[in-house]
């Protein structure tokens, strides 16, 4: 089943960055200006836009604290087309739901602008891409009206990043097969679960996503016997908030069962 997965999509950005580094197109140590501002950016909130940061720093913020500005900065550097190409190369069971891949600023702006969102929802993929270009000013950070985003789920069935657990398993396996120690280290900064449960694994990489009505948790794990597992789950409710604590408890029990 296709679920809204929130920030789990950032693993596609990480996978494309790892591929470009492996191909010699970029280095983890490449320095770029931050250049982007957004809400829910714990690593970069209020930083000067000309702050120089490495690609590895951006990727670590993006995955470990789900920093949205860092994510959009990487999307700018890598290119939307390149990240979408990575999704296609990995495989996705419903690309019509997954594309176009929004930046986090675009998602916030669409959710906070009912009229523009209605146009986006009715458009074909080509029409959505045209809207993202023609309405660039209305989809900027300064245009976001947070007053439209504080009262429960907003358009989680239309303005989101969608994947099934099987799609996410393919993505996690691609990250595993990249054999990039830097990528694995980035994914392991935040385990997503308590230290006792995390300590049962030789390796545990994690990325989650949440917003009102959405929670998703995905793990790339290696047992102490050396076996690899992709473990992913999501819970959506378009009518009300999710019980995040209950879901974390269920996913922790699932990891313990594995």
């Amino acid at each position: 089943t296709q679920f809204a997965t929130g920030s789990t999509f950032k693993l596609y950005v990480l996978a494309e960055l790892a591929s470009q580094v492996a191909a010699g197109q970029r280095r983890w140590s490449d320095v770029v200006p931050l250049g982007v501002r957004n809400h829910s950016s714990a690593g970069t909130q209020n930083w000067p836009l000309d702050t120089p940061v490495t690609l590895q720093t951006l990727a670590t913020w993006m995955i470990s604290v789900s920093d949205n500005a860092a994510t959009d900065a990487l999307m700018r550097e890598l290119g939307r087309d390149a990240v979408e190409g990575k999704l296609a190369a990995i495989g996705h069971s419903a690309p019509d739901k997954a594309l176009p891949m929004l930046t986090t600023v675009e998602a916030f702006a669409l959710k906070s602008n009912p009229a523009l969102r209605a146009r986006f929802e009715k458009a074909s993929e080509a029409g959505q891409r045209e809207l993202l270009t023609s309405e660039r000013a209305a989809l900027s950070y300064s245009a976001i009206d947070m007053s439209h985003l504080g009262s429960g789920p907003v358009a989680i069935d239309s303005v989101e990043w969608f994947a099934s657990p099987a799609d996410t398993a393919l993505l996690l396996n691609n990250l595993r097969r990249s054999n990039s120690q830097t990528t694995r280290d980035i994914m392991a900064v935040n385990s997503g679960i308590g230290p006792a449960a995390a300590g049962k694994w030789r390796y545990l990489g994690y990325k989650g996503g949440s917003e009102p009505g959405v929670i998703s948790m995905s793990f790339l794990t290696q047992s102490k016997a050396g076996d690899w597992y992709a473990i992913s789950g999501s819970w959506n409710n378009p009518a009300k908030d999710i019980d995040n604590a209950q879901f974390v408890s269920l996913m922790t029990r699932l990891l313990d069962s594995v």
Side-chain angles (χ1 to χ4, degrees):
T1 300
Q2 291 293 311
F3 289 92
T5 63
S7 289
T8 301
F9 91 95
K10 295 170 183 177
L11 290 173
Y12 285 110
V13 182
L14 179 64
E16 175 57 20
L17 175 57
S19 291
Q20 293 192 19
V21 170
Q25 299 171 261
R26 301 179 188 275
R27 298 173 298 174
W28 292 105
S29 58
D30 286 349
V31 175
V32 299
L34 177 60
V36 178
R37 200 176 307 287
N38 200 1
H39 301 285
S40 300
S41 300
T44 62
Q45 198 69 47
N46 299 321
W47 282 46
L49 293 179
D50 60 354
T51 300
V53 288
T54 67
L55 297 181
Q56 184 169 342
T57 299
L58 290 173
T60 303
W61 280 332
M62 174 178 71
I63 300 300
S64 65
V65 296
S66 216
D67 188 289
N68 285 327
T71 303
D72 289 353
L74 284 174
M75 288 278 283
R76 175 199 67 210
E77 293 297 321
L78 301 174
R80 193 197 312 266
D81 290 348
V83 179
E84 291 180 344
K86 188 64 178 176
L87 178 146
I90 292 171
H92 193 287
S93 60
D96 58 314
K97 286 189 69 68
L99 302 177
M101 187 176 288
L102 300 172
T103 66
T104 65
V105 163
E106 289 167 345
F108 274 121
L110 283 169
K111 286 176 181 286
S112 74
N113 185 327
L116 190 59
R117 182 172 74 243
R119 288 172 53 197
F120 182 85
E121 291 169 336
K122 293 176 183 177
S124 63
E125 181 184 327
Q128 290 176 341
R129 292 186 185 278
E130 171 60 28
L131 185 147
L132 293 178
T133 300
S134 63
E135 298 290 348
R136 198 178 303 275
L139 295 171
S140 64
Y141 171 73
S142 61
I144 297 171
D145 183 354
M146 293 300 290
S147 68
H148 288 282
L149 300 175
S151 57
V154 178
I156 69 167
D157 55 352
S158 59
V159 180
E160 254 292 339
W161 300 274
F162 294 95
S164 70
D167 294 329
T168 303
L170 286 175
L171 171 55
L172 292 167
N173 194 41
N174 178 272
L175 290 160
R176 178 187 70 88
R177 295 180 66 186
S178 72
N179 289 320
S180 167
Q181 187 60 49
T182 300
T183 299
R184 291 182 188 173
D185 289 345
I186 288 170
M187 292 179 63
V189 172
N190 176 3
S191 67
I193 57 175
K200 298 176 182 179
W201 299 90
R202 177 185 295 179
Y203 171 82
L204 191 149
Y206 168 74
K207 185 71 191 86
S210 66
E211 64 177 90
V214 174
I215 188 168
S216 180
M217 299 179 72
S218 297
F219 302 86
L220 175 65
T221 64
Q222 186 181 33
S223 71
K224 292 186 177 178
D227 298 317
W228 286 94
Y229 298 89
I231 302 164
S232 180
S234 298
W235 185 10
N236 292 173
N237 188 333
K240 63 180 182 180
D241 288 348
I242 296 295
D243 186 338
N244 288 355
Q246 183 182 13
F247 188 73
V248 172
S249 176
L250 288 168
M251 290 300 293
T252 302
R253 287 167 56 193
L254 177 57
L255 264 72
D256 284 344
S257 297
V258 175

